[in-house]
Amino acid sequence: MNDTLMVLPSSQHDEIRLVKVPRDLDRQEAYRFATGIIAQAEENNRNCRWEDIAEALEARGFEPVEAMIGPTLG
């Protein structure tokens, strides 16, 4: 079975993240869960960092994946 990956976009290219979606979530559920988890982390701590968000996502089964942003396509 293939893994489903989700890009967490950002206006700052160095803050774009990639996470593996838990197998028990379909795409819509994963989007809703991730949105809610990120919103709650930011609401609880206005100065939250990626590490705080990653920890909250991991608690629900999302797994951060190391990724590299490549060059812009044509």
Side-chain angles (χ1 to χ4, degrees), residues 1 3 10-16 19-20 23 25 30-31 34 39-40 43 46-47 49 51-52 59 65-66 72:
M1 186 190 281
D3 292 327
S10 174
S11 59
Q12 304 292 325
H13 76 279
D14 59 336
E15 293 181 11
I16 296 170
V19 294
K20 184 165 47 167
R23 292 187 186 270
L25 297 179
Y31 183 89
Q40 185 174 23
E43 184 177 304
R46 294 222 180 257
N47 297 320
R49 300 175 45 107
E51 291 77 15
D52 303 318
V65 176
E66 285 296 317
T72 302

Side-chain angles (χ1 to χ4, degrees), residues 4-59:
T4 300
L5 301 175
M6 178 186 293
V7 175
L8 303 177
S10 174
S11 59
Q12 304 292 325
H13 76 279
D14 59 336
E15 293 181 11
I16 296 170
R17 304 291 187 225
L18 183 66
V19 294
K20 184 165 47 167
V21 174
R23 292 187 186 270
D24 65 328
L25 297 179
D26 66 29
R27 291 175 186 264
Q28 286 185 318
E29 289 176 312
Y31 183 89
R32 282 197 308 268
F33 270 104
T35 300
I37 291 167
I38 292 167
Q40 185 174 23
E42 290 175 340
E43 184 177 304
N44 290 340
N45 178 3
R46 294 222 180 257
N47 297 320
C48 74
R49 300 175 45 107
W50 163 245
E51 291 77 15
D52 303 318
I53 294 171
E55 184 177 315
L57 287 168
E58 287 179 50

